[in-house]
Amino acid sequence: MSETKPSVIFVCVHNAGRSQMAAGYMTHLSQGRVEVRSAGSMPADQINPAAVEAMLEEGIDIRKEQPKVLTPEAVQASDAVITMGCGDACPYYPGKRYEDWKLEDPAGQGVEAVRPIRDDIRGRVEALLADLLA
């Protein structure tokens, strides 16, 4: 009996901060048990350096990640779609689990301002992971 692993996509506007931190946590905490994607409706040129620094403090390196454009295919391939302030730009498909996480945008902020956002994301990812693997 083959079990397909659950998949999740984290979506924010620039795919440079919140969604990348969430994907970093999910990848790290799920240890390969969940397929993880992230994307943005208007991807930035690079990941937010403060987000990278905040995640490195947690022992998670997201420096190699690149902001990616959100595609309908990526959403269709995911069981759970977690949006973080991308509004109407996120395509909707029936039968998917959608959650909108209200999180402050770390864009343009220093690592001190990003840490509480990161910690909020970690708690939400831990709860989502427990649910996906239940």
Side-chain angles (χ1 to χ4, degrees):
M1 170 169 91
S2 73
E3 287 216 8
T4 57
K5 58 182 168 181
S7 58
V8 62
I9 185 167
F10 295 100
V11 183
C12 64
V13 176
H14 301 299
N15 191 216
R18 295 166 291 186
S19 55
Q20 291 285 359
M21 289 191 285
Y25 271 128
M26 183 61 81
T27 299
H28 178 76
L29 295 169
S30 73
Q31 301 173 322
R33 293 173 296 170
V34 175
E35 194 176 330
V36 182
R37 300 178 182 86
S38 72
S41 50
M42 296 186 308
D45 296 330
Q46 64 178 43
I47 293 196
N48 178 336
V52 169
E53 187 178 341
M55 291 302 284
L56 283 171
E57 293 174 355
E58 295 280 285
I60 299 171
D61 187 352
I62 60 171
R63 286 178 289 199
K64 68 185 184 322
E65 299 300 327
Q66 284 294 316
K68 293 171 282 302
V69 70
L70 178 65
T71 64
E73 294 78 21
V75 173
Q76 281 181 302
S78 302
D79 298 315
V81 181
I82 310 301
T83 59
M84 304 169 185
C86 70
D88 297 334
C90 298
Y92 180 82
Y93 295 97
K96 302 287 177 197
R97 169 184 178 163
Y98 283 86
E99 286 183 28
D100 186 45
W101 292 357
K102 304 280 185 234
L103 296 162
E104 196 179 328
D105 189 347
Q109 303 201 56
V111 72
E112 295 78 18
V114 173
R115 281 186 192 116
I117 302 168
R118 173 201 67 197
D119 295 344
D120 186 3
I121 289 171
R122 181 179 183 126
R124 292 168 187 250
V125 167
E126 287 171 341
L128 176 63
L129 176 61
D131 203 38
L132 288 173
L133 297 178

